[in-house]
Amino acid sequence: MRGKDLLNNISNVDDDLLAEAEASMIVSKKRHNWRKWIAVAACFFIVASVGTGAWRMGLFDDKGDNHSGNNSDSSSVAHSDEYRVRTDAVNLPENISDNVKADMIGCLVYKGKVYRQAASYDSSDSGFELVKKIVGEYVGDARGTLDDWSSQSDFATEFASTYYGPVYNVKGYSEDFRLYILVENGDKSWIQFLENYDDIGLNTGADFFGERMHLKNNVESISYLTYYDWNEDNPSNYKPLTSVSIEQFGGFLDELYNNPFERIDYKDHPDFYEGKIQGHLYLKMKDGTCVGLRLIEGGYVGYEHLGWIEVKMPGELFDLLLSAVQ
Amino acid sequence: MEDEKIVELYLERSEEAIKYTSEKYGNKLRHISFRITRDAQTAEECENDTYMEVWKRIPPNEPRNYFFQFLSRIARNISINRCIERNRLKRSAYIVEFTTEMEQCIPSPDDADRRIENEEIGRIISAFLHGLPKEKRLLFMQRYYFLDSISSIAKRFGYSESKVKTTLFRVRNDLRQYLIKEGYTL
């Protein structure tokens, strides 16, 4: 036997060793993000609310072309040769002052990754009963230990969270992407999704909308908001999408999957997000969840929690959908 | 789709199994292959070859609880063999680097009295790795399973390259001593 034979046969190591090595590849990336967090002030500011805030408030400012966690420290993970874009982690706003109270959104630390508040569903949502059925396996208890005055070390604890209660993975979705917590606050309760968007490498739409969101063959119905209504926060003005056929929308999803992601940062291109023709689609999924897509003139399709990263898919089908949401 | 359901589709000989496999794991498999082949087109070819091979192996295999590990192994082997088949083994300095390092782990015939077959190697290396501290085990796997570069491993774990090289050197020696002590030759 030669060295190459030994190299080949290492494939036959036990499953648990391979699983451990794969898990470490995700956790070790987060180690570098933690170093960035330890290097900055205790207060941090995150914004992500469904349908509003994140895009307009410039949350996901890019500090450069590199992925999250990078600063002048050389201990960053170098993967830029493998992916077209990478998502950012949370960055402090540069202009926060002592008089501005830091607002926190929901977050949870799990396996060294920070899962952020994403969509929520309460009993008023039509999909609520369905969403309750996709609770997966229990993974641990959120500690409820984080608040505006939490220190850096508070974040470096597994299950540190702004929430309190049992956390579950979500059936049909990767645990690396989505978790679920039932939040109870007085006489109100709701289902809160927590999602990991930190330092994700993406090439085409399939990497996110397929691998993580599973859009194809799972859309139950579609509604839309015009840009005006979205901007003015008029949720009562959702309208069903009736001018596009199932086949046409299927073709739209095919192109969404096959086309590449691009990063278009707000700070470099503010007119892109404020001056172009655009609209919003809301996909009601068969499992009761809802996915919001932003369409921007020129063939760009974005998802709110990805920040300033869009799939570029110009063409007839995109133009059809954009026209339909005006 | 859950892994168990995807495996069921293979067992039912439904071609949708490959579609769901691709949707769920295609990106990871290309990533594994790209690391080894260092060529995007070849990585895509290896990904497609992986699906064909998985189709052949399920059944009789039924990897319901270890589906990705099953795919990962096949993708890795296909990618390494592709490098060998295309003579990249001789042209690619980085593959030569790996095989040279592996050579250091192999006891000479004089050191051992038992020959082990290919099939046993995985089990023996697993036993060795389980006995290592986690840090060393992870470095070994990153280097010799995923074929990561020293610099990439160093950045990933926040170590200096010197520390990674030194640790791997010691682990290779430990493996060699383990094989000698257990009386194996390869």
Side-chain angles (χ1 to χ4, degrees):
Chain A
M1 171 167 294
R2 304 287 300 278
K4 66 181 181 183
D5 301 308
L6 179 57
L7 189 68
N8 225 336
N9 282 290
I10 287 176
S11 294
N12 298 322
V13 296
D14 291 347
D15 290 339
D16 62 319
L17 292 169
L18 181 53
E20 180 189 54
E22 285 169 352
S24 77
M25 289 168 71
I26 298 168
V27 173
S28 61
K29 287 182 188 178
K30 287 296 105 191
R31 192 175 303 166
H32 300 291
N33 289 337
W34 281 121
R35 286 184 177 168
K36 176 175 172 65
W37 285 37
I38 287 170
V40 299
C43 287
F44 79 102
F45 183 86
I46 306 175
V47 174
S49 60
V50 176
T52 57
W55 278 317
R56 288 183 290 159
M57 298 181 72
L59 165 67
F60 299 108
D61 274 343
D62 180 33
K63 300 277 183 193
D65 288 334
N66 290 324
H67 52 80
S68 62
N70 266 356
N71 50 21
S72 58
D73 186 343
S74 63
S75 62
S76 58
V77 179
H79 289 279
S80 57
D81 59 333
E82 297 173 341
Y83 296 104
R84 289 181 62 88
V85 298
R86 296 193 78 88
T87 58
D88 290 326
V90 173
N91 291 314
L92 277 180
E94 294 173 349
N95 57 349
I96 196 169
S97 70
D98 290 337
N99 294 325
V100 176
K101 183 179 178 183
D103 287 328
M104 294 196 65
I105 63 155
C107 64
L108 168 78
V109 177
Y110 178 63
K111 291 187 177 179
K113 293 171 282 189
V114 179
Y115 288 71
R116 292 175 246 178
Q117 173 186 341
S120 61
Y121 304 87
D122 61 22
S123 56
S124 67
D125 291 305
S126 59
F128 182 63
E129 291 303 317
L130 282 174
V131 174
K132 283 200 299 185
K133 292 180 182 177
I134 59 173
V135 178
E137 293 178 352
Y138 167 78
V139 297
D141 286 318
R143 296 166 184 250
T145 50
L146 298 180
D147 58 29
D148 295 353
W149 298 276
S150 295
S151 66
Q152 296 90 343
S153 61
D154 292 328
F155 290 101
T157 305
E158 188 75 340
F159 288 108
S161 177
T162 53
Y163 298 110
Y164 179 84
V167 181
Y168 305 87
N169 56 32
V170 184
K171 289 179 186 175
Y173 299 92
S174 169
E175 189 177 284
D176 289 335
F177 171 61
R178 179 176 279 177
L179 298 172
Y180 167 126
I181 187 168
L182 179 64
V183 181
E184 293 177 324
N185 186 0
D187 59 350
K188 294 182 181 177
S189 62
W190 65 92
I191 293 166
Q192 181 66 60
F193 282 163
L194 296 159
E195 294 172 349
N196 168 38
Y197 293 95
D198 287 350
D199 196 29
I200 297 171
L202 300 169
N203 285 316
T204 66
D207 295 344
F208 183 77
F209 296 108
E211 188 175 317
R212 287 172 172 83
M213 301 295 288
H214 314 305
L215 294 190
K216 276 190 188 179
N217 303 316
N218 287 314
V219 178
E220 182 72 30
S221 64
I222 308 169
S223 57
Y224 73 93
L225 267 184
T226 63
Y227 176 65
Y228 176 83
D229 284 330
W230 175 84
N231 209 31
E232 295 299 316
D233 200 16
N234 293 329
S236 59
N237 287 349
Y238 282 103
K239 301 179 180 64
L241 189 73
T242 57
S243 59
V244 175
S245 70
I246 293 173
E247 290 77 18
Q248 286 169 327
F249 190 74
F252 173 84
L253 286 185
D254 285 339
E255 291 188 15
L256 180 67
Y257 271 47
N258 293 332
N259 277 282
F261 273 101
E262 284 190 15
R263 172 181 286 279
I264 303 170
D265 289 302
Y266 177 85
K267 69 180 173 76
D268 298 323
H269 306 281
D271 289 342
F272 180 86
Y273 293 99
E274 295 177 353
K276 286 184 174 286
I277 298 171
Q278 49 193 295
H280 291 256
L281 287 173
Y282 292 91
L283 314 182
K284 193 74 168 184
M285 310 301 287
K286 291 177 182 176
D287 63 5
T289 60
C290 185
V291 177
L293 300 178
R294 182 178 188 176
L295 309 184
I296 302 176
E297 178 188 359
Y300 297 91
V301 180
Y303 177 69
E304 58 194 295
H305 301 298
L306 284 179
W308 310 122
I309 293 172
E310 334 283 332
V311 170
K312 185 174 181 181
M313 48 171 287
E316 287 184 9
L317 285 171
F318 175 85
D319 290 341
L320 177 68
L321 268 293
L322 185 62
S323 298
V325 299
Q326 297 308 306
Chain B
M1 177 175 280
E2 293 170 358
D3 288 353
E4 289 187 14
K5 290 184 180 173
I6 298 177
V7 172
E8 283 299 325
L9 289 174
Y10 279 103
L11 294 172
E12 292 168 7
R13 308 317 283 165
S14 166
E15 292 184 2
E16 285 215 321
I18 296 178
K19 185 190 87 170
Y20 285 113
T21 304
S22 171
E23 194 175 279
K24 189 171 184 180
Y25 293 121
N27 193 42
K28 285 186 179 180
L29 295 176
R30 274 194 309 279
H31 198 170
I32 289 170
S33 182
F34 182 82
R35 267 212 190 91
I36 298 169
T37 62
R38 304 294 173 95
D39 179 80
Q41 184 176 345
T42 305
E44 281 193 25
E45 291 171 6
C46 290
E47 179 198 350
N48 289 330
D49 289 346
T50 299
Y51 299 140
M52 288 173 54
E53 189 63 25
V54 172
W55 182 260
K56 290 178 194 173
R57 295 195 191 186
I58 303 176
N61 295 284
E62 296 187 19
R64 289 186 174 85
N65 298 322
Y66 56 97
F67 186 53
F68 179 67
Q69 288 87 338
F70 185 78
L71 296 173
S72 168
R73 287 196 176 84
I74 293 172
R76 182 182 181 273
N77 284 343
I78 286 174
S79 302
I80 290 177
N81 288 336
R82 181 66 63 88
C83 287
I84 296 170
E85 285 163 11
R86 294 187 177 181
N87 216 24
R88 291 184 189 191
L89 195 68
K90 294 180 183 175
R91 294 179 192 158
S92 300
Y94 81 96
I95 286 289
V96 171
E97 186 183 349
F98 284 108
T99 55
T100 302
E101 289 174 21
M102 286 288 93
E103 294 278 354
Q104 296 172 9
C105 303
I106 301 175
S108 67
D110 294 336
D111 292 331
D113 56 13
R114 273 199 288 169
R115 183 169 185 79
I116 54 175
E117 301 301 327
N118 290 348
E119 293 76 23
E120 282 187 86
I121 294 173
R123 182 181 57 77
I124 293 165
I125 294 178
S126 296
F128 166 73
L129 291 174
H130 279 299
L132 289 181
K134 185 175 179 180
E135 176 191 272
K136 291 183 177 180
R137 185 164 63 236
L138 290 176
L139 290 183
F140 184 93
M141 287 294 288
Q142 291 300 323
R143 180 68 175 159
Y144 301 116
Y145 185 95
F146 292 108
L147 304 192
D148 246 348
S149 66
I150 298 292
S151 61
S152 176
I153 295 172
K155 287 175 184 174
R156 189 188 295 278
F157 287 90
Y159 298 158
S160 67
E161 290 191 18
S162 174
K163 174 174 178 176
V164 173
K165 286 180 187 175
T166 303
T167 304
L168 287 172
F169 177 77
R170 288 173 182 161
V171 172
R172 290 197 302 272
N173 278 338
D174 288 345
L175 176 57
R176 186 169 188 277
Q177 293 306 316
Y178 177 85
L179 293 172
I180 292 171
K181 178 187 160 194
E182 297 293 319
Y184 293 113
T185 185
L186 299 178

